[in-house]
Amino acid sequence: MNTKSLLMVASLCLSTAFAVNAKNAGVKTYAVLFSEPTTVGKIVLPKGDYKLKLDGANLTFVLVDGSKTVTTTVVKIDNGAKKAEQTLVMTDKSSDGTLRIHEIDLGGSTMKLVFTE
């Protein structure tokens, strides 16, 4: 393989990598752990490690093992007074004893996700 061909292949690989990154540039991800089943909206999430993907007003919960994905659009984005050092999930117990998420403070940002249901 000559030098010109090698440079062409390298530039093609780099442009593909930049295109993939540009496509996902607006999507932020955060990690959370639920130690027991937790309700978001009307959906019960099993306990486990989740990745949160925020894309505009859409929030998706993805179980790290890939077995469950839940997308909710019933989220209001507020800005707090200061940056959260880590991602915090605020829950409360309903009358039947299940945990219900009412707010998530996103680590490294001032964004707070507020669930209205």
Side-chain angles (χ1 to χ4, degrees):
M1 196 179 256
N2 64 27
T3 306
K4 189 174 182 180
S5 297
L6 187 59
L7 288 173
M8 211 158 58
V9 169
S11 67
L12 179 62
C13 290
L14 283 174
S15 64
T16 302
F18 286 127
V20 169
N21 284 337
K23 179 182 174 202
N24 295 325
V27 179
K28 302 277 186 178
T29 59
Y30 302 89
V32 294
L33 169 69
F34 299 130
S35 58
E36 61 184 88
T38 305
T39 303
V40 58
K42 297 180 191 235
I43 299 166
V44 178
L45 300 170
K47 70 178 183 176
D49 288 315
Y50 285 84
K51 284 191 299 185
L52 303 180
K53 294 182 181 179
L54 182 62
D55 186 11
N58 296 321
L59 180 65
T60 304
F61 292 84
V62 179
L63 199 52
V64 170
D65 70 6
S67 64
K68 185 153 183 96
T69 300
V70 175
T71 301
T72 179
T73 56
V74 187
V75 63
K76 178 183 171 194
I77 300 173
D78 286 339
N79 283 316
K82 64 178 188 169
K83 284 186 179 182
E85 290 183 29
Q86 59 188 2
T87 300
L88 300 171
V89 180
M90 305 330 174
T91 60
D92 55 11
K93 287 226 180 209
S94 61
S95 58
D96 64 358
T98 60
L99 284 180
R100 178 171 295 281
I101 299 172
H102 59 87
E103 181 180 308
I104 300 176
D105 297 349
L106 299 176
S109 77
T110 60
M111 285 196 300
K112 296 175 182 253
L113 308 178
V114 181
F115 297 87
T116 56
E117 289 186 15

